[in-house]
Amino acid sequence: MSELSFTWLGDSPVPYQQGWDLQKRLHQGRVAGRVPDTVLLLQHEPVYTAGKRTGRWDRPLADVGAPVYDIDRGGKLTWHGPGQLTVYPIVRLPDPVDVVGYVRLLEDAVIRTIAEFGLTGKRVEGRTGVWLDADPDNGRPERKIAAIGCRIARGVGMHGYALNCDNDVSWFDRIVPCGITDAGVTTLSLELGRDVTVAEVVPLTERHLADVLGATSFRRTDAVPEVDEPEAAELAGA
């Protein structure tokens, strides 16, 4: 991978449908070679998203205060919203595509990012995402600080991961996040006892994600790459 372009969508939370539509347009453009490898960085308005492995028993049984979207990524049910950095790499992967290896790279990027704050992230066998060890002395279970769910189509990735910075974790209390009942959810702010904003985490995320993806350089822009609409329409029907 040569240069990796990061697009920061700003401090205002993005409606989920708007972000998803943008991902799909960029994915089509990247497949066609019309746009460069691009990573969207954003916060969403409160939303629950249900991946392809979400079962009927995983779904909310009552109004949870935010819409629920069925989407085409892997994984189960999770939450996105303000205070959580959501990262969508729209990048071409080396051939042959190694899906598990790609997920491990995203986990590496998160582990390196939170290490900048003195936290030791880890993987848990049989579970995706990044976790912190249990802290029995303070009554804290093993807990998840970042969720990962990807889709790879025609050699190009979409969706990605979400790192909890200073979001309200009570949103997770309304569901069984990622189908896991025996662990907790945490944020950088809760772990460090201070406010860690998304803006503070963005530059660290850019540096570490570019590194694990093997980019020779990276840059940030506020402008979303333009995708030729006729080409996007052709690809959508392909």
Side-chain angles (χ1 to χ4, degrees):
M1 181 181 295
S2 54
E3 185 174 72
L4 186 59
S5 177
F6 288 89
T7 300
W8 168 239
L9 296 186
D11 294 322
S12 298
V14 176
Y16 189 79
Q17 188 67 56
Q18 179 182 328
W20 194 12
D21 289 343
L22 176 56
Q23 279 195 80
K24 288 184 280 191
R25 290 200 304 273
L26 288 176
H27 183 272
Q28 292 162 357
R30 186 68 191 98
V31 167
R34 298 268 183 165
V35 298
D37 288 314
T38 301
V39 181
L40 299 177
L41 303 168
L42 65 147
Q43 300 174 75
H44 275 303
E45 292 181 353
V47 63
Y48 294 96
T49 64
K52 292 185 291 185
R53 293 198 305 114
T54 305
R56 286 178 299 174
W57 52 88
D58 296 317
R59 295 180 177 279
L61 298 177
D63 181 10
V64 285
V68 179
Y69 279 81
D70 289 285
I71 59 173
D72 54 358
R73 62 160 171 80
K76 294 189 176 185
L77 187 70
T78 193
W79 174 87
H80 298 299
Q84 181 191 70
L85 175 59
T86 302
V87 181
Y88 293 138
I90 316 297
V91 299
R92 182 171 295 283
L93 302 178
D95 190 35
V97 172
D98 179 355
V99 177
V100 174
Y102 177 58
V103 170
R104 296 294 172 260
L105 289 179
L106 299 184
E107 290 170 345
D108 280 343
V110 174
I111 289 169
R112 296 184 189 190
T113 299
I114 68 174
E116 300 264 5
F117 297 94
L119 297 176
T120 302
K122 68 170 189 175
R123 298 181 177 90
V124 174
E125 186 175 355
R127 295 175 174 177
T128 59
V130 176
W131 300 77
L132 302 181
D133 275 327
D135 181 8
D137 292 341
N138 292 303
R140 308 189 75 180
E142 197 170 54
R143 54 215 181 277
K144 193 172 194 176
I145 198 165
I148 294 178
C150 308
R151 177 173 185 246
I152 299 170
R154 301 178 71 176
V156 175
M158 60 186 299
H159 300 292
Y161 67 88
L163 174 57
N164 297 328
C165 299
D166 61 349
N167 48 287
D168 179 359
V169 295
S170 70
W171 285 99
F172 292 102
D173 295 338
R174 308 175 196 186
I175 62 169
V176 179
C178 301
I180 295 167
T181 59
D182 59 349
V185 176
T186 191
T187 69
L188 288 169
S189 297
L190 287 173
E191 295 299 322
L192 299 175
R194 69 173 181 87
D195 191 29
V196 181
T197 64
V198 167
E200 184 177 351
V201 178
V202 163
L204 303 176
T205 294
E206 292 171 334
R207 175 159 52 87
H208 290 298
L209 185 58
D211 188 41
V212 302
L213 291 180
T216 57
S217 62
F218 67 93
R219 64 187 178 91
R220 185 196 303 177
T221 176
D222 296 330
V224 177
E226 293 186 5
V227 181
D228 182 55
E229 289 301 327
E231 178 71 19
E234 273 179 37
L235 283 163

